[in-house]
Amino acid sequence: MYYGVENYLSHFIKTILYKNESIEAFRTNFCLRFWFDDDIENQEKVLVENLFKEAGYENVAEVNSDLFLNKELSLETKSSKSRVCLSAISNDLYVKLYKSPDFSLVGQIKLDKLGSDPRAKILAKLILEDIKEASPHIYIEEEKEVAYIINHCTQLLSSLSPIMRNELELSTGVRTDYKIRLAHLEDRLMYNRGVEDKVIPQLESILSTNGMSSSSADIILNGNELNTNYFKDKLTKKFPNVFGVGSSIESKILKLIFSDISSNGYKLNQKITSGHFANAEKTVPVSNTPQVLTNQPVVNIPPIVNTPPKVTLPPVVKVPPVPNKNNVTTTENKPEVKLPPIIKPEVKVPPVIKEVKKMDIPPPSKGKIPPPPPPPPPIKKK
């Protein structure tokens, strides 16, 4: 997770801020805010925070998303009553009770396997049964696959027809076709009482525990998985004020979060951060955090100026005037400071060696070689 996030931050620095510096130059003051969903526990949040703090990030905190959620819900519902907000994650139902007038969180519970329209879960099981029958060679882990295709089934609820055919990709990456009938869905729905027997009693319990009645609080169905006519019809029988908001509310909440962070100068703000991170507000003193413009996060790096070294001259010492015989101070009696003579080193030039003329040695004269002496006369015999 850490390397994935830092990859995006490096991309942001180069393509948005147009900086050639590496991420190391920005870690200390880079504004990081985390929006955790309801299924993330406190110890997991601390783990994520420590991953970035140990890497050098100091301006890190969790955003208190409940604060912005309730601001947006007040605009959507036009109501100031206490509210019970229902949201779904991976087919689990998360229930939070916010008490007016400040909408503080006073209670929360989790209901396993109840975080979707029961019709969507029935459709998921019908689809998997059809795939198993048509393609027995495909391995299917039912509980895992139901959670994986539940969003696909939720979309089917808006276009129900007597026979539904479509192509589907499983969590293993296998793509296959299916065909189911609407009549089978209606038959199984008759025996499903999850909302009446499991959800409504829990909602009544959390309200009564906090001294409220079913008519003193609004029920909010948050997200496309829960904002269906089926849920509304079931809950309206017990609760008079039921509202539904689509998943598009998340983009509106994000705008509120960014606007608040920007107006605060991208510094740690105790109002928008939750208490999960014990040291969040102590990480970076507000006075030491550089001010950033509210239009976009810009990190100002001072330019590197190559200045020549500064040469410091010795101070000029003034010689006090010397009094003369009449004790009259004059400037003519200043002690004469004789500077030592400048001795120029004598540079001895090496003598010039004259080039010696080459003597032409005459070759030996060519004379006539005298003939050899004549042989002695022969001796006559007596």
Side-chain angles (χ1 to χ4, degrees), residues 137-201:
H137 62 280
I138 298 178
Y139 173 74
I140 293 178
E141 187 177 349
E142 182 171 323
E143 185 175 349
K144 180 179 179 181
E145 296 300 338
V146 166
Y148 186 79
I149 68 174
I150 198 71
N151 290 334
H152 174 81
C153 298
T154 302
Q155 296 174 2
L156 278 181
L157 296 176
S158 60
S159 57
L160 295 175
S161 58
I163 297 179
M164 290 167 277
R165 303 169 185 253
N166 211 330
E167 186 183 31
L168 182 70
E169 181 177 349
L170 301 176
S171 62
T172 56
V174 176
R175 298 193 67 88
T176 182
D177 298 326
Y178 68 84
K179 182 182 71 172
I180 57 176
R181 297 180 180 275
L182 179 60
H184 295 163
L185 169 63
E186 295 173 346
D187 291 342
R188 297 194 184 186
L189 194 59
M190 293 174 59
Y191 302 98
N192 187 286
R193 291 184 52 85
V195 177
E196 293 90 343
D197 297 342
K198 298 179 181 179
V199 176
I200 291 178

Side-chain angles (χ1 to χ4, degrees), residues 339-345:
L339 298 175
I342 298 175
I343 302 174
K344 296 183 178 180

Side-chain angles (χ1 to χ4, degrees), residues 71-72 85 168:
K71 282 184 179 180
E72 188 59 35
C85 186
L168 182 70

Side-chain angles (χ1 to χ4, degrees), residues 10-46:
S10 300
H11 177 76
F12 173 79
I13 291 170
K14 292 180 181 179
T15 59
I16 305 299
L17 301 183
Y18 298 103
K19 300 287 185 179
N20 290 326
E21 290 88 353
S22 63
I23 188 67
E24 285 78 7
F26 296 85
R27 284 195 181 111
T28 302
N29 295 320
F30 213 115
C31 178
L32 289 184
R33 298 292 178 267
F34 293 103
W35 178 5
F36 294 107
D37 220 332
D38 295 329
D39 60 334
I40 305 300
E41 300 180 358
N42 289 346
Q43 63 268 25
E44 295 172 322
K45 298 176 183 179
V46 174

Side-chain angles (χ1 to χ4, degrees), residues 109-150:
I109 55 176
K110 174 188 174 183
L111 303 178
D112 296 335
K113 313 303 179 185
L114 294 172
S116 63
D117 188 323
R119 297 176 300 170
K121 189 173 182 180
I122 295 173
L123 285 175
K125 290 187 175 182
L126 289 173
I127 290 173
L128 294 178
E129 290 173 5
D130 183 74
I131 294 174
K132 287 180 181 179
E133 184 178 353
S135 306
H137 62 280
I138 298 178
Y139 173 74
I140 293 178
E141 187 177 349
E142 182 171 323
E143 185 175 349
K144 180 179 179 181
E145 296 300 338
V146 166
Y148 186 79
I149 68 174
I150 198 71

Side-chain angles (χ1 to χ4, degrees), residues 217-316:
D218 297 332
I219 306 297
I220 309 295
L221 301 174
N222 184 12
N224 295 337
E225 296 87 351
L226 302 179
N227 185 23
T228 63
N229 292 330
Y230 181 87
F231 263 111
K232 289 179 181 178
D233 294 341
K234 295 291 184 180
L235 294 175
T236 305
K237 295 177 181 179
K238 289 289 184 178
F239 304 96
N241 305 310
V242 178
F243 300 92
V245 292
S247 299
S248 59
I249 193 176
E250 291 187 355
S251 62
K252 298 177 182 179
I253 295 174
L254 271 177
K255 289 181 180 180
L256 291 176
I257 292 174
F258 275 110
S259 176
D260 200 293
I261 294 175
S262 175
S263 63
N264 193 54
Y266 300 92
K267 302 173 185 177
L268 290 171
N269 183 1
Q270 189 173 2
K271 292 182 180 179
I272 67 168
T273 55
S274 67
H276 295 299
F277 294 164
N279 299 323
E281 286 75 20
K282 301 178 182 179
T283 307
V284 180
V286 173
S287 59
N288 294 337
T289 308
Q291 180 70 23
V292 184
L293 298 178
T294 58
N295 51 2
Q296 66 176 24
V298 178
V299 181
N300 295 323
I301 303 297
I304 300 175
V305 181
N306 295 324
T307 56
K310 184 178 180 181
V311 180
T312 306
L313 297 177
V316 179

